[in-house]
Amino acid sequence: VENDLYIENFFATYGDQLTRRHAAGLTALNTLADNDLMDLFLRRKEPEGVLNTPEVREVLEMVRKPI
């Protein structure tokens, strides 16, 4: 549920600016379990392995920005 708030805010803030690059990052993040995604949003973890891409990191920085 908390993840939904982060995603909702992300789209409210950046929805009209999103690119295919952002879509690729979001798609990759969407494969994660809720707890893993929350860990990334809250900076408890950083992306690793196949998730450690410029697209994923860019989306995470956008999501993590204070409101």
Side-chain angles (χ1 to χ4, degrees):
V1 173
E2 294 88 5
N3 289 343
D4 293 343
L5 297 174
Y6 279 95
I7 298 295
E8 184 178 315
N9 183 58
F10 175 82
F11 279 107
T13 304
Y14 301 106
D16 60 346
Q17 305 168 39
L18 297 178
T19 65
R20 290 180 193 265
R21 177 181 174 91
H22 297 124
L26 284 168
T27 299
L29 289 168
N30 256 352
T31 65
L32 297 173
D34 286 344
N35 289 339
D36 293 332
L37 187 57
M38 182 57 66
D39 285 344
L40 289 171
F41 286 169
L42 296 177
R43 296 181 189 264
R44 291 187 286 217
K45 291 184 181 176
E46 292 299 325
E48 298 176 345
V50 296
L51 281 179
N52 191 7
T53 66
E55 294 83 3
V56 167
R57 288 191 169 280
E58 184 175 349
V59 168
L60 281 175
E61 286 310 308
M62 294 164 78
V63 170
R64 292 169 170 175
K65 281 187 181 178
I67 300 171

